[in-house]
Amino acid sequence: MLELKHISYTVQEGDDKLGILNDISLTIDDHKLVVFTGPNGGGKTTLAKVIMGLVTPTSGQILWNGQDITPLSITERAKLGISYGFQQPPRFKGLTVRDLLTLASGNEKLSKDQCCQYLTKVGLCANDYLDREVDVSLSGGEVKRIEIASILARNSQFMIFDEPEAGIDLWSFTRLTETFEQIHAKGSATMVIISHQERIISLADEVIVVGDGAIRHRGSAQEILPQILADTLGSCPVLKKEANA
Amino acid sequence: MMDTQIDRELLEKIADLTGKPVGAFNIRKDSGCDGRQSTEHIEIANRADGKSGIDIRIKDGTVGETCHIPVIITKPGIEEMVYNDFYIGDNCDVDIVAGCGIHNCGNQDSRHDGLHTFHVGRNSKVRYTEKHYGEGTGKGGRVMNPQTVVYLEEGASIQMETVQIRGIDSTKRDTKIICGKDAEAVVTERLLTDDHQVAESNMEIVLDGEGSRGRVISRSVAQGNSTQVFYPRMVGNSQCFGHVQCDSIIMDSATVKSIPAITANSTEAQLVHEAAIGKIAGEQLLKLETLGLTPEEAEECILNGFLA
Ligand SMILES: Nc1ncnc2c1ncn2[C@@H]1O[C@H](COP(=O)(O)OP(=O)(O)OP(=O)(O)O)[C@@H](O)[C@H]1O
Ligand SMILES: [Mg+2]
């Protein structure tokens, strides 16, 4: 179980303090699939990075299975079973897809077959990719899918995926949602998926709408989806007019 | 031959040699000859002009053979200049493994300067590997200044790979390759310097012949207070294609200078250069840490991959 208690993150902007996250408290139970959604710049990625240890909150506490992990490093959290797939994964000159999957899995002797399975789950053919470097020669969608495969290879208890659908073609997207469904059905991991996709939102046990650094709504997909649509239309007179026309 | 532990270790480091090499070889140790073997197709002999060094003649049509010519220096205070000439016939496909290892436990400098000249015949393929390695606890410097000149005849190619990872205090490398018609030169360079080490690499690839191609891929890491200077030049004199790519990771208080130059003397020459110097990207370290690596392990992993 993951608990966030009164998490705030502020940055200094000139003379002003800017609140990126404002007093967020949240509990995520084991084996749940939770989707974070909400407007661009709302604070979803920052919240995910707080959980992974990539961002240190200004105040608040993070408990993982009852243990206070707030002071722990990224590496220590990774070893405790938390993983995070980057929204914009970095590229590496000289590291191959196979190297990355091997590192992620923590198994130096990861077989070609195993690599292949992870890549297939994100719609990539292992033969074409295993020995390619994860550098600028890969397309955006390819890097993104390799990033997701690395999280699957890591196979940790708590997985965060940051907009896994971004830049991914329809075929791979379908494959990917099936993979999320499978992991969820097996109950082998807790998943937080940051997403703007209706298809992914509809898989969630719980949807959390993050906006202006706070939790705006929480509820089931059935409850939240209509609200999101209403909100979108409500805030923009032009869209509302078009919708009503 | 290869009688001490130091000899054996040096030879393994620079030439992947364990035990007596298969095929033609010449082992130079402390300025003397420590073993030599010619084969039916590859003849190794002292130079005709009396200068220090050897002549290597490879017969036309020699395919799939390897020639090892490592140099080791195990005594402090040795300074040498060696000339090796390679005459490679037509239609060959051969591997040449050179390399120099210095073990210096004294307080005087050990220094190896070499000039390797290759004449590569028509349609021959050569893979040439040169590893540099230095070790030892003495105050004496470990110095190497290799010069390489390659003449590629029509349809010939060379894949030259040079590696120098730590251990050499001062190095100045000069490489010149002249490509004839449809010839191809691919040079990969890997370099890591540390402490107060200094490394300079000058390269000139002249694409003389129609349809010739040249490619330079240089990757380096500069740590500590070390200094590196790269000066790769590509000259296109006809319809040709050339690509120079220099990438360096800079750390600590090191200095890296990269000055690629491309010169076209023909409207049909297509030349490209890219050069980049930067520290390890923070995001790369963070990503590997999220996979459970410590910051130190992450750094090592990135450097190893980069120099692989
Ligand atoms: N270090 C920082 N300094 C200043 N502003 C920051 C910093 N980190 C994040 N922000 C701001 O905080 C807000 C939240 O960013 P975040 O990346 O968490 O949004 P998001 O919900 O993931 O958005 P998106 O849907 O576009 O990915 C943004 O306005 C961003 O510009
Ligand atoms: Mg985001």
Side-chain angles (χ1 to χ4, degrees), chain B residues 220-290:
Chain B
S220 77
V221 176
Q223 301 178 320
N225 289 295
S226 65
T227 305
Q228 301 180 354
V229 183
F230 295 93
Y231 192 12
R233 281 160 294 167
M234 186 84 73
V235 182
N237 292 332
S238 62
Q239 182 258 314
C240 62
F241 179 78
H243 189 177
V244 180
Q245 196 185 346
C246 297
D247 262 305
S248 302
I249 292 181
I250 180 169
M251 300 169 73
D252 311 319
S253 310
T255 302
V256 179
K257 217 189 255 187
S258 194
I259 318 154
I262 47 181
T263 308
N265 294 314
S266 157
T267 52
E268 302 306 309
Q270 249 199 77
L271 306 172
V272 181
H273 80 66
E274 301 167 62
I277 303 173
K279 62 177 181 197
I280 297 178
E283 285 277 296
Q284 294 181 340
L285 289 169
L286 294 176
K287 168 68 201 172
L288 295 184
E289 288 170 40
T290 67

Side-chain angles (χ1 to χ4, degrees), chain A residues 9 11 13 18 20 38-46 87 163 196:
Chain A
Y9 177 59
V11 293
E13 278 250 316
L18 185 68
I20 310 280
N40 291 137
K44 303 177 296 295
T45 295
T46 309
Q87 183 170 6
E163 296 195 23
H196 301 289

Side-chain angles (χ1 to χ4, degrees), chain A residues 52 54 74-75 78-79 82 84 86 88 90-95 100 103-104 133 147 150-151 154, chain B residues 219 245 247 276 283-295 297 301-302 304-306 308:
Chain A
M52 188 70 241
L54 292 157
I74 304 165
T75 314
K79 288 188 170 152
I82 298 174
Y84 169 66
F86 285 47
Q88 274 153 340
R91 296 165 189 259
F92 295 88
K93 263 183 194 141
L95 280 191
L100 200 64
L103 283 171
E133 291 187 17
E147 175 74 2
S150 79
I151 301 304
R154 189 131 187 84
Chain B
R219 283 188 181 174
Q245 196 185 346
D247 262 305
E283 285 277 296
Q284 294 181 340
L285 289 169
L286 294 176
K287 168 68 201 172
L288 295 184
E289 288 170 40
T290 67
L291 298 180
L293 278 69
T294 63
E297 287 166 347
C301 176
I302 291 165
N304 285 345
F306 182 73

Side-chain angles (χ1 to χ4, degrees), chain A residues 11-243:
Chain A
V11 293
Q12 200 72 35
E13 278 250 316
D15 291 340
D16 295 332
K17 280 212 165 100
L18 185 68
I20 310 280
L21 298 178
N22 307 306
D23 194 21
I24 291 191
S25 294
L26 176 67
T27 300
I28 299 173
D29 286 325
D30 288 346
H31 311 315
K32 290 280 187 266
L33 195 169
V34 175
V35 168
F36 290 178
T37 193
N40 291 137
K44 303 177 296 295
T45 295
T46 309
L47 189 58
K49 288 187 171 176
V50 163
I51 298 172
M52 188 70 241
L54 292 157
V55 165
T56 309
T58 325
S59 61
Q61 228 187 358
I62 311 149
L63 302 181
W64 169 235
N65 294 334
Q67 180 188 357
D68 183 1
I69 59 166
T70 327
L72 297 192
S73 70
I74 304 165
T75 314
E76 287 165 319
R77 294 182 202 205
K79 288 188 170 152
L80 287 176
I82 298 174
S83 59
Y84 169 66
F86 285 47
Q87 183 170 6
Q88 274 153 340
R91 296 165 189 259
F92 295 88
K93 263 183 194 141
L95 280 191
T96 63
V97 172
R98 187 187 206 135
D99 292 336
L100 200 64
L101 293 177
T102 304
L103 283 171
S105 72
N107 169 11
E108 271 175 46
K109 295 193 186 78
L110 190 72
S111 70
K112 193 180 165 182
D113 270 4
Q114 284 166 303
C115 289
C116 196
Q117 281 175 22
Y118 298 127
L119 291 174
T120 311
K121 286 185 177 150
V122 295
L124 288 173
C125 171
N127 286 337
D128 300 345
Y129 287 95
L130 265 188
D131 295 322
R132 279 188 66 179
E133 291 187 17
V134 189
D135 62 8
V136 286
S137 72
L138 291 172
S139 79
E142 286 167 339
V143 169
K144 190 75 195 183
R145 285 189 277 165
I146 288 159
E147 175 74 2
I148 297 163
S150 79
I151 301 304
L152 299 176
R154 189 131 187 84
N155 193 21
S156 50
Q157 259 184 72
F158 195 96
M159 310 181 180
I160 311 168
F161 297 93
D162 199 342
E163 296 195 23
E165 73 268 15
I168 289 184
D169 60 61
L170 278 174
W171 295 270
S172 309
F173 178 70
T174 308
R175 193 73 200 80
L176 195 63
T177 48
E178 282 166 14
T179 301
F180 291 143
E181 273 182 297
Q182 278 166 14
I183 297 175
H184 188 39
K186 264 204 309 197
S188 51
T190 309
M191 280 184 286
V192 169
I193 307 178
I194 298 173
S195 176
H196 301 289
Q197 276 289 328
E198 220 179 303
R199 178 81 189 88
I200 289 183
I201 294 174
S202 67
L203 297 177
D205 296 313
E206 184 174 24
V207 181
I208 294 175
V209 183
V210 180
D212 292 329
I215 296 177
R216 291 284 196 72
H217 309 283
R218 321 178 48 155
S220 67
Q222 291 86 334
E223 287 160 7
I224 298 290
L225 268 173
Q227 275 188 41
I228 297 175
L229 287 172
D231 266 11
T232 322
L233 298 178
S235 59
C236 177
V238 181
L239 283 176
K240 200 168 193 174
K241 219 167 164 185
E242 281 179 8

